[in-house]
Amino acid sequence: MRDIAVFSGSAHPELAAEICAQLEVPLRPVRTQRFANDCIEVQLQANCRERDVFLIQPLVTPVQENLVELLLMLDAARGASAARTTVVMPHYAYARSDKKDAPRISIGGRLVADLLVAAGANRVLAMTLHSPQVHGFFSVPVDHLHALRELALHFRQHDLSNTTVVSPDLGNAKEASHFARLLGVPVAAGAKQRFADDKVTISSVIGEVAGRDIIVLDDEIAKGSTVLELLDKLRDLGARTIRVACTHGLFAGGALKRIGDQPDVLEIVCTNTVPIPDGERVPKLKVLSIAPAMAEAMRRIHNGESVSALFDA
C-alpha cells in the first residue's frame, strides 16, 4: 500500500504491529519524551507529507496520558502536511460518558470527540462504542466496527443446541440480539439498575435461561460487578453452564480473577482491543484478535471502498 503511514501511540503497540503485519506495511516510529515540567512532546519520525496517516491509540489506562499523547500525534501529523489523518481507536473510554444523567455533570464523550477533531482528526475508526449516540458526537466521518463476527466464529466451535445469549442489561440487548442471530440461538436480557460505578442490582432476567447453556455478552467488562451480579441471578434461575464474552476486556481491580474463580464459568472470551497484562491472565481466558478486521477497514478507507460492506455477509 503506497502513500500510507501508520503510527502507534504507547497505549497498545502490540496491536498496532499486528495490524501493520496484516497490511504488509511498516509501523513507523514515534518518539515521545517528557520534559522536566511533566509536559509531553511527540515527534512522528517518518514522512507524512501528502500521505494517508493512521494513528492507532486505544484510550486505556492511563487514559488521560494516552489521550494527550494522541492529541499531540494528531497535531504533529497536521503540522507535517498529512493529506488525511485517521484516528484508529479500538477502545473509546469516554464513550461511557454519553448523557446528562445527573445535575451539572459533564458529557465527556462529546468533549473528547471535539478535542480530537480540533487537534486534526479527519476521520475516526472505532470498535464497539458503548452506545449508538456516541457516533453522533463526532463532526467527522466515523467508521464503527464491532467484534461480533470474531466472537461468533469462536463460539461456533461449541455445541449450541441448548444455548441462550444473555445481555446483562436492556441497553446492550440489541447487540446481544444481533450476536444471537449470528449463532442461531435465542436471546435474553437482565433488568439492571445501577446505584454506583461498582454497585448494580439485576432484579430479573427476561427470557428462558433455566437448564440452558448461557453466553453472557457485554460490550466491555471493567470492574465486573454487573457480570458477577448476573451470574448470581442465572444460578438462582437454574442455568446449566456459563461462558462470558465481551469486546473490551478492561478487567480493572482484579475483575478477571474474580470472574475466573467462579466455578460454573467455563470460559472468558474477549478481544485484544485493549492490552491484557500477562500477569493478570487466567487459564479460562481466551483473547481473540481484531487486527485483521481493523486492517481490512483501514485498507478500505485508504482505497475509498465501502467499510459497511464488511458486515453485509
Side-chain angles (χ1 to χ4, degrees), residues 16-300:
E18 194 175 341
I19 291 172
C20 285
Q22 293 284 331
L23 289 171
E24 298 181 342
V25 300
L27 179 60
R28 305 294 182 177
V30 178
R31 180 180 63 82
T32 303
Q33 66 175 352
R34 191 180 296 271
F35 294 112
N37 65 354
D38 206 36
C39 291
I40 300 173
E41 181 185 71
V42 171
Q43 181 185 35
L44 305 179
Q45 296 189 302
N47 183 25
C48 298
R49 186 174 296 274
E50 298 305 319
R51 294 197 174 191
D52 205 358
V53 173
F54 293 86
L55 306 177
I56 302 174
Q57 181 86 319
L59 296 186
V60 296
T61 303
V63 174
Q64 281 60 242
E65 293 276 325
N66 289 324
L67 172 59
V68 171
E69 184 183 49
L70 176 57
L71 294 173
L72 293 173
M73 291 170 68
L74 282 165
D75 183 69
R78 181 170 56 184
S81 302
R84 179 178 63 182
T85 305
T86 300
V87 172
V88 180
M89 194 160 42
H91 177 57
Y92 184 33
Y94 276 96
R96 294 187 67 173
S97 178
D98 60 355
K99 56 187 174 296
K100 188 175 181 180
D101 54 3
R104 298 169 298 283
I105 196 169
S106 60
I107 303 177
R110 185 185 61 195
L111 174 61
V112 172
D114 289 343
L115 288 173
L116 293 170
V117 175
N122 302 119
R123 193 178 197 99
V124 173
L125 175 61
M127 172 73 76
T128 311
L129 295 170
H130 183 64
S131 53
Q133 63 263 31
V134 174
H135 192 142
F137 289 169
F138 292 88
S139 57
V140 295
V142 177
D143 292 300
H144 186 197
L145 307 183
H146 62 69
L148 296 183
R149 290 199 302 176
E150 285 77 8
L151 291 169
L153 186 62
H154 170 79
F155 282 105
R156 287 193 191 112
Q157 303 172 56
H158 302 293
D159 179 9
L160 301 176
S161 59
N162 190 45
T163 298
T164 298
V165 171
V166 179
S167 169
D169 54 49
L170 297 176
N172 194 58
K174 185 175 181 180
E175 182 172 287
S177 296
H178 186 184
F179 184 59
R181 287 196 298 272
L182 290 176
L183 296 179
V185 302
V187 65
K192 182 179 80 172
Q193 185 175 5
R194 181 177 292 279
F195 299 97
D197 185 43
D198 57 352
K199 177 61 178 175
V200 300
T201 297
I202 296 178
S203 57
S204 62
V205 175
I206 304 167
E208 183 58 45
V209 296
R212 306 282 293 180
D213 298 317
I214 302 299
I215 301 175
V216 174
L217 178 73
D218 209 350
D219 61 328
E220 68 177 58
I221 298 176
K223 290 187 176 181
S225 53
T226 296
V227 170
L228 291 171
E229 177 74 10
L230 179 60
L231 294 182
D232 287 340
K233 196 67 181 177
L234 291 172
R235 292 185 192 105
D236 293 342
L237 294 172
R240 191 170 74 169
T241 65
I242 300 173
R243 289 179 165 86
V244 177
C246 68
T247 300
H248 309 300
L250 302 174
F251 302 126
L256 183 55
K257 185 178 186 304
R258 288 197 302 274
I259 297 172
D261 285 345
Q262 306 298 309
D264 49 359
V265 172
L266 303 182
E267 188 177 35
I268 305 167
V269 184
C270 69
T271 73
N272 62 343
T273 55
V274 301
I276 300 174
D278 289 336
E280 295 186 13
R281 297 186 180 224
V282 299
K284 295 179 181 179
L285 178 66
K286 173 70 175 178
V287 181
L288 309 178
S289 177
I290 48 88
M294 300 295 284
E296 178 61 16
M298 291 166 64
R299 186 193 69 79
R300 288 170 178 260

